[in-house]
């Protein structure tokens, strides 16, 4: 399987040359931007979306805060699990980087000597994005768009075949979706326990303590006030 996509007539290789050929015609500064975006920027942007979504969830609070935060916690965990699953896949396929098998590519990042299939970057980005989609569709769709562009950037940079990226998208999506029910069943009780903690409850809900009071917690003085009102009503009745 090491010879996968080595033929120049392979559509995977042709698409690689078409996309990577854009880097040859682009200005040098644009290639540097794409190098940063493809290597770090888009992954960092998706992480920021997860944090932004978490900040909004904890500010709103409410009964759904704990399960929503549990879903957000699953997003980075899904990315980590997906990368671990990819380790034996890469070792089994043993597909060399495209610039090692094909000449004339514009390689924007040096030092990529590990195997190519499946793309770790594509796997990470899509697992994060789909995990975020499980928690919040609006943020999730934005993250998926960023992940798709990140996959394009990896081919543009000359470090992955298109099918490396597609495989990473499929792997990240499968892990994030298929394991989501199990993850939610395990993480939701944990986030509910954190929500009721006086020290770290703010991680789940900024209004957790006041919300708990509003849901029937005993408020100092409330019983006395209620008693006074009852006494007053009795006096009026007398």
């Amino acid at each position: 399987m090491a010879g996968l996509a080595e033929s120049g007539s392979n559509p995977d290789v042709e698409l690689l040359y078409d996309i990577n050929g854009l880097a040859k015609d682009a200005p040098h500064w644009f290639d540097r931007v794409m190098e940063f975006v493809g290597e770090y920027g888009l992954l960092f942007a998706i992480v920021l979306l997860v944090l932004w979504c978490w900040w909004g969830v904890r500010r709103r609070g409410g009964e759904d805060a704990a399960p929503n935060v549990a879903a957000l916690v699953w997003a980075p965990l899904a990315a980590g699990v997906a990368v671990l699953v990819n380790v034996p896949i890469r070792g089994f396929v043993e597909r060399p980087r495209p610039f090692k098998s094909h000449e004339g590519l514009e390689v924007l990042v040096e030092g990529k000597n590990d195997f190519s299939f499946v793309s770790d970057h594509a796997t990470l980005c899509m697992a994060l994005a789909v995990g975020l989609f499980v928690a919040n569709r609006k943020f999730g769709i934005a993250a998926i768009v960023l992940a798709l562009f990140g996959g394009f950037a990896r081919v543009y940079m000359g470090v992955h075949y298109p099918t490396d990226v597609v495989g990473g998208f499929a792997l990240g999506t499968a892990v994030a979706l298929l394991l989501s029910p199990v993850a939610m069943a395990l993480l939701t009780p944990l986030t509910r326990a954190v929500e009721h903690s006086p020290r770290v409850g703010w991680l789940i809900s900024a209004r957790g303590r006041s919300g708990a009071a509003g849901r029937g917690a005993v408020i100092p003085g409330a019983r006395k006030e209620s008693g006074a009102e009852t006494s007053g009503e009795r006096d009026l009745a007398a």
Side-chain angles (χ1 to χ4, degrees):
M1 300 185 73
L4 187 64
E6 289 182 358
S7 172
S9 62
N10 191 311
D12 192 27
V13 177
E14 293 177 358
L15 187 57
L16 164 68
Y17 275 106
D18 288 341
I19 296 176
N20 180 254
L22 299 173
K24 294 183 178 181
D25 300 329
H28 179 74
W29 64 266
F30 185 79
D31 284 348
R32 298 287 72 79
V33 170
M34 288 293 289
E35 176 186 345
F36 174 79
V37 167
E39 194 74 4
Y40 309 106
L42 289 171
L43 181 59
F44 182 67
I46 296 174
V47 171
L48 286 181
L49 283 177
V50 174
L51 293 175
W52 186 3
C53 188
W54 163 74
W55 187 260
V57 167
R58 67 172 292 276
R59 285 188 63 186
R60 288 192 303 270
E63 293 287 346
D64 294 334
N68 285 340
V69 172
L72 290 171
V73 171
W74 169 236
L77 290 178
V81 172
V83 170
L84 289 177
V85 172
N86 190 30
V87 171
I89 295 176
R90 294 180 75 143
F92 175 73
V93 177
E94 295 185 344
R95 186 188 208 178
R97 294 281 181 169
F99 54 83
K100 293 188 175 182
S101 302
H102 306 284
E103 298 179 354
L105 292 174
E106 186 77 10
V107 183
L108 302 186
V109 180
E110 302 294 337
K112 298 289 184 180
N113 296 316
D114 54 343
F115 294 124
S116 184
F117 186 91
V118 176
S119 167
D120 276 338
H121 273 77
T123 301
L124 273 171
C125 288
M126 190 55 74
L128 270 172
V130 174
L132 181 55
F133 181 82
V134 171
N136 185 289
R137 289 189 177 182
K138 182 175 72 172
F139 281 91
I141 289 173
I144 289 173
V145 171
L146 291 177
L148 292 173
F149 182 69
F152 173 84
R154 301 301 291 177
V155 181
Y156 180 96
M157 294 159 59
V159 295
H160 280 295
Y161 294 97
T163 48
D164 296 340
V165 171
V166 173
F169 289 161
L171 178 59
T173 299
V175 169
L177 289 182
L178 294 179
L179 297 183
S180 177
V182 176
M184 291 299 296
L186 296 174
L187 292 172
T188 301
L190 178 61
T191 54
R192 290 197 186 278
V194 172
E195 183 181 20
H196 291 92
S197 170
R199 292 186 177 181
V200 293
W202 61 270
L203 289 170
I204 309 300
S205 175
R207 297 180 295 179
R209 300 181 71 178
S210 60
R215 291 195 295 269
V218 177
I219 305 174
R223 191 178 298 274
K224 292 181 180 180
E225 182 180 348
S226 176
E229 290 177 358
T230 304
S231 176
E233 290 175 359
R234 290 178 178 176
D235 289 343
L236 290 173

